[in-house]
Amino acid sequence: MSDATTQPRSNTSGGQTIRPDEAAHFGKLAKDWWDPKGSSAMLHRLNPVRLAFLRECVDMHWGGDISQRHPLAGKSALDVGCGAGLLCEPMARLGADVTGVDAAPENTAAAAVHADGAGLDIRYIAGEVGALDIGTFDLVTAMEVIEHVADKPAFIAALAGRLAPDGLMVLSTPNRTPQSRLLMIGAAEGLGMIPKGTHHWDDFITPEELGALLDDAGLEMGEPRGISFQPDKGLHLSADLSLNYLVTARYR
C-alpha cells in the first residue's frame, strides 16, 4: 500500500503534460462550473482563499498599496488549467490583461461565454501550454493543476518558460499525506463534495518535491502556506500544510 513517501504515479511522458482522461473528466464539468452549488462547489469555496494569497503576494512582489483596487494594472497574467475562468475573471478585475489556457476545449468555451456576459476581455485558449506561442507574462498561475498532469518536470518547465524575467508565479496543489488521502479523497469524494475520480492520491506532490522541480527550472520557491478547514472558519490560510498548500516562485 502507498504511504506519504510514495512517488507520484506518472512523472514523465516525453514532455506531454495533458492526460486525455483528465481533460475529459473536467470537460464534462464545464456546463455547471460557475454554479456555486454544482460539481465545482468546492472550488467556489476555495477561490476566496486563493485570491487572498494571490493579492498578498502581488502586493509584496511589486510593492503595491494594499488599498489599490487594480494592483495588476499594466500587468499580463496567464492562468494555466483555468477551467471555466474562476481565477481569470478576478485577475481581470484586478486590472490584468489575462490569458487562460486549459486542456479541455469545453472549459475554455464556457469560460469565454461567461467572461463575455460579465463584460470582461479575457483571451482563452485550449491546448498544451508548452506548445503554445503566447510569449511571457508578468504573473503565471496554476491552481490545483500539477496533480493532474502527466509529466510534472515538463509542466513546471513550461510554466517557467512563460514567466517574464522579473515575474511572479503562484501555484497551489494538494499535499501527499495520509490526511489528504483520508479527507480529500476518502471523505470529500466519498461524500460527493468533490466529483469522484477528480484526484489520484499518488499524483499529489509534496512541497519538497515541488521545490526541487522549481529549482531544476531555475526558480526559487517561497515559503509554502497551507489551506486548512475548520467547521467554524471554513477554508482558510494556515501554517498547516497537510491538506493543500500554495507557493510562489520567481527567478533567482
Side-chain angles (χ1 to χ4, degrees):
M1 179 174 289
S2 299
D3 60 24
T5 62
T6 303
Q7 291 300 310
R9 65 187 172 109
S10 298
N11 246 1
T12 59
S13 65
Q16 178 75 18
T17 65
I18 293 174
R19 286 192 179 118
D21 58 333
E22 296 272 5
H25 172 81
F26 289 104
K28 290 177 181 177
L29 307 178
K31 66 182 184 303
D32 67 345
W33 202 290
W34 280 96
D35 181 358
K37 296 181 179 179
S39 58
S40 297
M42 188 58 69
L43 286 179
H44 283 269
R45 297 176 188 173
L46 188 59
N47 217 34
V49 183
R50 301 191 304 192
L51 285 167
F53 180 82
L54 180 67
R55 175 63 199 257
E56 177 183 318
C57 295
V58 163
D59 288 340
M60 291 181 64
H61 185 75
W62 281 292
D65 181 346
I66 60 172
S67 65
Q68 188 178 359
R69 291 186 60 188
H70 302 109
L72 290 174
K75 303 279 192 301
S76 58
L78 170 68
D79 186 34
V80 180
C82 64
L86 286 186
L87 188 65
C88 288
E89 292 198 8
M91 289 198 299
R93 290 191 174 96
L94 290 174
D97 179 10
V98 180
T99 298
V101 171
D102 197 88
E106 301 94 332
N107 286 340
T108 53
V113 169
H114 195 275
D116 186 61
L120 296 172
D121 184 13
I122 300 173
R123 177 173 61 160
Y124 287 108
I125 306 170
E128 179 94 28
V129 64
L132 297 173
D133 183 14
I134 53 177
T136 60
F137 298 80
D138 300 305
L139 175 64
V140 173
T141 61
M143 305 295 203
E144 315 300 308
V145 179
I146 192 171
E147 67 271 20
H148 299 292
V149 305
D151 189 329
K152 290 173 171 52
F155 181 69
I156 291 296
L159 295 182
R162 297 291 167 258
L163 186 64
D166 61 347
L168 174 69
M169 186 182 296
V170 181
L171 310 172
S172 71
T173 189
N175 199 351
R176 196 175 68 258
T177 63
Q179 297 95 316
S180 68
R181 178 162 57 182
L182 175 65
L183 295 177
M184 294 186 67
I185 297 178
E189 290 196 18
L191 295 173
M193 298 171 66
I194 298 173
K196 283 185 180 294
T198 294
H199 294 120
H200 301 281
W201 183 81
D202 287 348
D203 256 338
F204 290 2
I205 184 169
T206 69
E208 293 78 15
E209 291 164 352
L210 181 54
L213 292 180
L214 290 165
D215 185 66
D216 288 345
L219 300 169
E220 181 178 2
M221 188 174 83
E223 189 70 23
R225 293 279 296 280
I227 300 176
S228 298
F229 176 81
Q230 291 177 224
D232 59 331
K233 296 178 67 174
L235 293 167
H236 61 282
L237 291 173
S238 162
D240 183 358
L241 308 180
S242 62
L243 291 181
N244 200 297
Y245 62 96
L246 304 108
V247 298
T248 60
R250 65 202 74 199
Y251 282 107
R252 301 186 193 93

